[in-house]
Amino acid sequence: MKTSKKNSVIFMAQLGMLAAVSIVLVAFVRIPLIPAAPFLEYDMADAPILIAAMLFGTLPSIVVLFVVSVIQAFLFGGNGWVGLLMHFVASGVLVVLVGQFYHHSHKFSHAVVGMVLGTLAMTAIMVPMNYIFTVHFFGTPKAVVDAILLPGIIPFNLIKAGLNSVIAGVVFKALTPFISKNKNMFTAA
């Protein structure tokens, strides 16, 4: 097998494994975090996607996010195309910022900056997303979204993105010696 073809297969397998871990996490780890909004359930699905962003860059991690979002939306009660779009946009902001900041210099401190900014951006983008989609497509009255915004939606997204960033950061940092030793295994095809 030619080296470039072999590298492409390894690259696709690595992305597939990260997507599979993400799907398993969304299927089995769902924790309501905010008593005021028990329907908002935390899942760790974004952590492997953030690891993909640090390992392979923004575009491959966005592809993984899209695959996971589709599966979550249609197989795990993720509210169909509306849930897919909301998850893809919100998590996409986080993934893009982490990927771009880390790949700018490959310094972990830059990934942390991306995680902090991505957490804030994800939280901020979910405010208009809830007003647009929750009100217009799920039929929830605007007054209900107004009432749940500060005690539920905003803290939930801060916690979700923050926890996933911390988990991804800890796992990535723990894997750094292995990644450094096997750099040729972790390059985009």
Side-chain angles (χ1 to χ4, degrees):
M1 185 181 285
K2 291 183 180 177
T3 303
S4 65
K5 189 173 183 179
K6 181 180 175 186
N7 288 344
S8 293
V9 170
I10 291 170
F11 174 68
M12 293 301 291
Q14 290 167 333
L15 291 178
M17 287 189 298
L18 287 166
V21 170
S22 185
I23 291 163
V24 167
L25 289 172
V26 79
F28 295 107
V29 180
R30 290 180 169 208
I31 305 165
L33 295 176
I34 309 290
F39 56 89
L40 295 173
E41 295 178 323
Y42 167 73
D43 65 72
M44 291 184 218
D46 289 346
I49 300 167
L50 291 171
I51 292 169
M54 291 182 281
L55 283 174
F56 304 112
T58 303
L59 186 57
S61 60
I62 289 294
V63 171
V64 172
L65 173 61
F66 181 74
V67 168
V68 171
S69 296
V70 168
I71 292 170
Q72 179 182 5
F74 296 108
L75 296 180
F76 298 117
N79 298 316
W81 73 269
V82 174
L84 184 154
L85 186 62
M86 289 178 77
H87 180 237
F88 185 74
V89 169
S91 295
V93 168
L94 175 61
V95 168
V96 166
L97 285 169
V98 171
Q100 292 299 310
F101 271 86
Y102 182 73
H103 280 277
H104 176 70
S105 67
H106 291 277
K107 290 184 180 176
F108 187 72
S109 60
H110 289 188
V112 171
V113 170
M115 290 174 187
V116 170
L117 293 176
T119 296
L120 295 173
M122 178 177 172
T123 302
I125 198 80
M126 284 308 289
V127 172
M129 296 278 292
N130 272 282
Y131 279 115
I132 293 166
F133 292 101
T134 305
V135 172
H136 297 291
F137 292 96
F138 292 137
T140 305
K142 183 182 175 296
V144 172
V145 175
D146 289 340
I148 200 74
L149 196 63
L150 283 176
I153 293 168
I154 291 174
F156 172 78
N157 284 291
L158 283 170
I159 293 168
K160 179 182 176 182
L163 280 175
N164 283 331
S165 293
V166 168
I167 291 166
V170 168
V171 170
F172 185 78
K173 196 69 172 157
L175 291 174
T176 299
F178 176 77
I179 294 166
S180 295
K181 188 176 177 181
N182 299 288
K183 282 183 184 178
N184 59 334
M185 281 182 54
F186 298 100
T187 57

